[in-house]
Structures are given as C-alpha cells and as structure tokens.
Amino acid sequence: MRRAYVPTGLSRQPWGVLLPLLMLVCFGGAVLYSAAGGHFQPWALMHVARFFVFLTMAMVLARVPQDWFRRAALPLYGLLCVLLVLVELIGGIGGGSQRWLNLGFMTLQPSELMKPGIVLVLAWFYSVLPTGETRSWRAVAPATGLLGFPAAFVMLQPDLGTALAICFGGVVVMFLAGLPLRWFLGAGGAGAVIAPLAFFFALHDYQRKRVLVFMDPESDPLGSGYHITQSKIAIGSGGFLGKGFGNGSQSHLDYLPEAHTDFVFATMAEEWGMLGGLFVLLVFGLIMRWGLKVAMNAPDRFSRLLAAGMTATIFFYACINMMMVMGLAPVVGIPLPFLSHGGSSMMTNMICIGTIMAVDRWSRRSSTGLS
C-alpha cells in the first residue's frame, strides 16, 4: 500500500495556530458580512484579504534568523520613537486624537508598531543583561526608560488604550525576566495612590467620563454610556443560541455603535449567542496555548521572553476588548484581534504571530542541531 506523500515544507508549517487563525478570521468575515447588511463590502472582503496579506508577511518574518532580530531590536525601537515624536509634531488629527503619519502611499500609526517593538527591545535588553543583575537597579532603570518614553508620547496623542497595551507587554517581559515580585507589588501600590491624582489632573475630560460611565453606565444612557449600554443589550438579547445569522437588530438598525470594529464581539454575540462567544474564547485559548508552548520550548532567554511577550500582547488585545464590550472594563478603543475590521490591528497581531512562528522555527532547528 502506497503512503500518502506530504511535502516537507507543508508538513513543517505551524498548523496548530494557522488553522485556529483561519477559523477565527473566516468567522469574523461572516460577522462583518452580516453587520454590512449581507454585503461583502466594505468590511468582510477587505478583512479576509488583509489577513492573507499579513499572513504572507508573518510567514516571511518566521524565516528571519535570530541574529537579525537581535541586531534590529535597538535600531527599530529608536526608529519607532522618532516616528512617535513626528506624530506629535506633524501627525494627522482624527476624532480628536493625533495618532497618524501620512506617508503618501499609506497612513501609518506608529503606536501600533510599538506594541511588538517594546517586547522586542526589552527581550533583547534582558538577554544581554547578566542573570545575576536582575535584582539590581541595572535591571529596572534602563527598562523603565525604554518603556516610559513611548508610553508617555502615546498618552499625549491621547490614546490610553494603546499606552496600556504597550505597558502591559513591557511589564510582562520584565516580570518573566526575573525581577523581584516585591518591585511589582510596590509599583502597584504606588499606582493605587497615584491613580486618583491622575484621574483628576492627567486624564482628558472624555477619558474621565469613560471611567465614570464604566462605574455607572445608566447615569448617561444617551450620552457617554450609550456605547456600553447598547453593547450589553446586544449581548444579552442573543441568549444561548443567538437570533440567527443576519438577524442582529442592534447592529442592523445602527443602535450599536462601531459594530464592525471595537464592538464586533457584541455584534457576533447577538446573532450567534453564548455558543458563538464560547467558540471565540476556545479559539483564542488555542492560540494562547500555542504561544505559551512555543515560549516554554524556546532555546534561550531572548527567544523565551520574545515569544511570551508577543503572546501577552495578543492576550491583552482580546481580553480587554471582550471585557470592554461586556461592561467589565472602561471603553478604551481596543479592537478584537482577527475579528474586528481594521488594518493596523491586523498588522500588529500578525507581526506578533510571525515572531512567535520565528521562535518556534529557531526551537526546531536547535533541537535538530542545525545552525
């Protein structure tokens, strides 16, 4: 009996993440098709097309040698910092925020690229730092500077959600690098003391209003609380099985704002119900499990921190978005990875996926004794 032949290049692909990603993106395309009233344009077709474009980018990124990542870490970080400064000086303004650079052929949001960028530079920093110095000031002061500079400029745009995402990825890398737990507990305590002052003196009016609305959405149901109120109505009305594909009244009648971007989970839950939500959680769980497995099997400190930090960045996106649309976190404008319509979000998350795929490849080559 003849054996089926599978090409070596095909069998070595990380199908453990590619198949869940494909399911999630196709499911997102179906949700966006329904949100557009049964049309592939303007969201569903572009969503799937962008995925395959950025998947190609991720496959190319996965072939990059580890030395290239190491050498590029600091120059890329410096370039992104320069771009953030340029955003503050000459960036385009939209929706009350100054976040974009017009490059002529495309509009670039440098803060999105800083999410994987901060993970890369901190993974490099702790890989060159002697292990014995992780409990000294040399382990925290330079890293805090590397993290604080871009976070401060993103806050000036203002973009609280992206600043939090940058800080989350950076802090995860610092924690996994072995910094003492008491430092994080101390920073958390200091943050609890500073938070009230930041609320009154650092946040913009619309950001303060979002926090107040999060605590009591019914206080302004037709104003600042409108988004989250309609989102919870949409999710609750879906029940266990949902209203059925194409029958989401909240999104189709335009009661639900941003039904194709930030609140796409609510759009999905209304039509697919709790079962649809559990499916999304299951697929994200498979992606997170794959990322953490790659991090644990990584051949060295740099690879482990890099894979774990990229996995944490995707987790932050997904976790905060779903908490936001369910009223468990303030609305901060973070899209849901691989379901929400948006090129910047798709690009950032596929950079993270491509980097983890690269670490997986380094691990396999190391285990076989290849250089």
Side-chain angles (χ1 to χ4, degrees):
M1 183 176 180
R2 297 179 63 183
R3 294 181 179 179
Y5 174 73
V6 179
T8 304
L10 193 62
S11 64
R12 288 182 177 177
Q13 299 304 320
W15 295 108
V17 68
L18 293 181
L19 291 178
L21 277 177
L22 187 60
M23 288 191 297
L24 203 56
V25 169
C26 289
F27 187 46
V31 173
L32 294 173
Y33 172 85
S34 176
H39 300 286
F40 286 106
Q41 295 287 5
W43 304 318
L45 185 61
M46 184 61 68
H47 175 74
V48 176
R50 279 173 173 162
F51 169 72
F52 283 104
V53 169
F54 290 125
L55 177 61
T56 303
M57 175 202 68
M59 301 294 283
V60 172
L61 191 61
R63 308 290 298 179
V64 176
Q66 185 183 123
D67 288 345
W68 289 24
F69 273 88
R70 288 178 176 273
R71 288 197 295 264
L74 204 55
L76 279 177
Y77 171 81
L79 175 62
L80 290 175
C81 287
V82 170
L83 292 177
L84 287 176
V85 174
L86 289 177
V87 167
E88 191 64 25
L89 297 176
I90 59 173
I93 298 176
S97 299
Q98 190 171 349
R99 304 175 185 175
W100 300 272
L101 283 176
N102 188 352
L103 303 180
F105 62 94
M106 67 173 292
T107 301
L108 180 68
Q109 187 176 351
S111 58
E112 279 289 330
L113 294 174
M114 184 56 80
K115 295 174 186 177
I118 193 65
V119 171
L120 175 62
V121 75
L122 287 179
W124 166 81
F125 171 74
Y126 285 113
S127 70
V128 299
L129 183 75
T131 306
E133 294 190 8
T134 54
R135 295 181 177 272
S136 70
W137 66 270
R138 295 181 183 87
V140 67
T144 303
L146 289 170
L147 179 58
F149 183 84
F153 270 89
V154 173
M155 283 292 293
L156 290 174
Q157 293 181 359
D159 190 351
L160 178 61
T162 300
L164 290 175
I166 292 171
C167 290
F168 183 83
V171 169
V172 165
V173 174
M174 294 169 71
F175 178 77
L176 295 178
L179 272 66
L181 179 61
R182 65 178 183 275
W183 292 0
F184 295 94
L185 295 177
V193 174
I194 295 172
L197 298 175
F199 177 81
F200 289 105
F201 301 107
L203 296 183
H204 292 259
D205 290 339
Y206 81 93
Q207 292 171 334
R208 283 196 293 270
K209 190 172 292 185
R210 284 180 177 178
V211 175
L212 294 174
V213 166
F214 161 66
M215 298 173 67
D216 184 15
E218 286 72 26
S219 63
D220 190 10
L222 298 179
S224 300
Y226 182 79
H227 289 65
I228 189 60
T229 300
Q230 295 301 321
S231 177
K232 290 195 290 187
I233 290 173
I235 294 172
S237 65
F240 187 74
L241 296 175
K243 294 180 177 178
F245 181 59
N247 296 321
S249 57
Q250 291 295 112
S251 57
H252 290 181
L253 298 177
D254 293 332
Y255 286 110
L256 182 64
E258 306 297 335
H260 63 293
T261 52
D262 294 352
F263 290 89
V264 73
F265 185 83
T267 304
M268 178 281 301
E270 184 181 20
E271 297 188 357
W272 297 86
M274 184 178 176
L275 283 180
L278 290 175
F279 170 77
V280 172
L281 289 173
L282 174 63
V283 177
F284 272 119
L286 292 174
I287 295 172
M288 297 301 111
R289 178 179 177 272
W290 168 77
L292 292 176
K293 184 178 178 181
V294 170
M296 289 188 293
N297 294 333
D300 53 66
R301 184 179 179 85
F302 172 73
S303 303
R304 286 193 295 272
L305 293 176
L306 187 61
M310 295 297 179
T311 303
T313 299
I314 300 174
F315 169 80
F316 183 86
Y317 261 100
C319 182
I320 296 300
N321 177 273
M322 286 188 278
M323 290 178 64
M324 176 184 76
V325 301
M326 289 186 283
L328 301 176
V331 177
V332 291
I334 291 180
L336 185 60
F338 313 116
L339 266 79
S340 293
H341 174 76
S344 296
S345 169
M346 181 71 78
M347 177 183 64
T348 300
N349 284 289
M350 289 309 293
I351 288 174
C352 293
I353 292 292
T355 303
I356 302 171
M357 289 167 60
V359 174
D360 187 35
R361 180 171 172 269
W362 304 338
S363 300
R364 285 187 280 106
R365 291 178 69 87
S366 175
S367 65
T368 57
L370 298 175
S371 57

